[in-house]
Amino acid sequence: MTWSTRQVAELAGTTLKTVRHYHRLGLLEEPERSPSGYKRYDVRHLVRLMGIRRLTDLGVPLSDIPSVAAADGRSTEILRALDDELAANIERQQRMRRQLAAVLEDGASLDLPADFGAAAASLPRAQQDLLVAYSSVFTPTAMSVIRDQYARPRDGIAEEFEQLPADAPEDERRRLAGHLAAEVRAQRADHSFITDLDAASRRNGALTRSVVTQALVEFYNGAQLGVLRHLHALLEQSEADQADQADQADQADQASVADLAVEGDERGELYRSGDAHPQRVTPGATG
């Protein structure tokens, strides 16, 4: 009993076109033909065809099927590489499912970077776009710090800054900068790397600065940028004051050391001259 190409393809759960493709690649041996010129497949062809289909269902590339089917020296290597690839795909798909669950169940925004959850979903669109731009250059660690900040309850100052109108007066900008300065100092104390843009970036410094600068200019209005300029000036002044205090402390320490050194030299000279000999400074000590 033999079968036509269409019949053997149906038995193997594939298509006529696929069977012909396997013939062209040399994966499936050409069968004998009937006197009328039609291919006639037997059970050996069916078993081989089903074996090829099983390997392709497992993800084995067609080019590797001869090695795997023959169980030669490369077979185990090919299958292990395939298993590693499948594991990576599963992890990626699980991550995708978590992100979809955050959108469907927690109300997270699709406009935000992955893993930001619902915490930042209520942010103004400009602020969301800013976070997306940051995610293109900052390291996962830096983005997790930013995410944690948005996960905390937001105070009135943050909301004031986000809603600040472009024509906000100068005194209002300075007031907001003063309030934000304290928060930024605390963040720097907890996460020192955020003071170094290069350390927080996964790109080269020039590219990161260009993205951050363009994002700030594009997504913040003039008043908000004014607040950031005042904030930068306050932080620089604070750092300068701390540096001055450290210098003064160092100078005081150096002066103390110098005083001790002078005193030591004077005592040494006194002993060398004999004026400080115990028998001389204590009358009657020798009897």
Side-chain angles (χ1 to χ4, degrees):
M1 178 67 183
T2 58
W3 305 286
S4 67
T5 305
R6 187 177 303 278
Q7 287 173 326
V8 77
E10 181 179 351
L11 288 170
T14 188
T15 65
L16 179 66
K17 183 178 179 180
T18 299
V19 173
R20 289 172 176 168
H21 183 56
Y22 291 163
H23 282 318
R24 287 193 296 271
L25 294 178
L27 295 176
L28 182 64
E29 181 185 357
E30 289 270 359
E32 295 181 355
R33 293 180 179 268
S34 66
S36 57
Y38 291 103
K39 295 186 182 79
R40 307 306 302 175
Y41 295 86
D42 59 27
V43 71
R44 292 179 297 105
H45 296 99
L46 175 62
V47 170
R48 173 63 174 171
L49 184 56
M50 294 188 70
I52 295 172
R53 185 192 168 195
R54 171 169 170 74
L55 292 177
T56 58
D57 286 346
L58 288 174
V60 177
L62 293 177
S63 59
D64 289 330
I65 283 179
S67 293
V68 176
D72 64 15
R74 293 187 59 243
S75 177
T76 299
E77 177 185 345
I78 292 169
L79 293 178
R80 289 193 184 281
L82 177 61
D83 184 62
D84 291 341
E85 181 181 348
L86 290 173
N89 288 337
I90 290 171
E91 182 179 354
R92 180 179 62 85
Q93 291 172 349
Q94 289 176 337
R95 184 171 63 253
M96 292 168 62
R97 291 199 67 198
R98 289 194 298 270
Q99 294 172 11
L100 287 173
V103 173
L104 296 173
E105 300 172 11
D106 301 333
S109 173
L110 286 171
D111 296 322
L112 286 168
D115 300 327
F116 260 69
S122 61
L123 289 174
R125 181 54 186 266
Q127 191 81 0
Q128 295 185 16
D129 289 343
L130 187 71
L131 293 175
V132 172
Y134 283 172
S135 68
S136 71
V137 293
F138 287 153
T139 63
T141 300
M143 289 304 296
S144 68
V145 171
I146 297 174
R147 183 184 65 242
D148 291 344
Q149 293 172 2
Y150 284 107
R152 301 169 187 166
R154 295 164 63 201
D155 58 22
I157 297 299
E159 293 186 359
E160 281 189 63
F161 175 76
E162 292 161 9
Q163 303 298 332
L164 189 68
D167 59 353
E170 186 67 19
D171 60 342
E172 181 69 7
R173 303 179 190 187
R174 292 182 180 277
R175 181 185 68 83
L176 285 175
H179 284 292
L180 291 172
E183 181 178 349
V184 173
R185 291 189 191 101
Q187 292 171 1
R188 288 183 171 184
D190 294 337
H191 307 284
S192 59
F193 75 90
I194 65 176
T195 62
D196 184 353
L197 196 60
D198 291 331
S201 173
R202 55 190 175 93
R203 311 290 184 189
N204 69 68
L207 182 60
T208 297
R209 286 174 176 79
S210 70
V211 171
V212 172
T213 300
Q214 291 190 42
L216 290 174
V217 172
E218 179 67 26
F219 301 127
Y220 281 151
N221 62 38
Q224 290 170 321
L225 291 174
V227 172
L228 295 180
R229 281 192 290 269
H230 291 313
L231 173 61
H232 181 69
L234 288 173
L235 294 174
E236 281 196 331
Q237 184 60 50
S238 177
E239 291 177 356
D241 292 343
Q242 291 177 357
D244 288 343
Q245 292 175 1
D247 288 343
Q248 292 174 5
D250 288 343
Q251 291 173 4
D253 290 342
Q254 292 172 6
S256 298
V257 171
D259 290 344
L260 289 174
V262 170
E263 182 179 351
D265 288 343
E266 291 177 347
R267 289 181 177 177
E269 182 62 29
L270 187 62
Y271 277 105
R272 284 193 295 273
S273 66
D275 292 339
H277 193 281
Q279 295 181 350
R280 292 179 182 268
V281 299
T282 308
T286 57

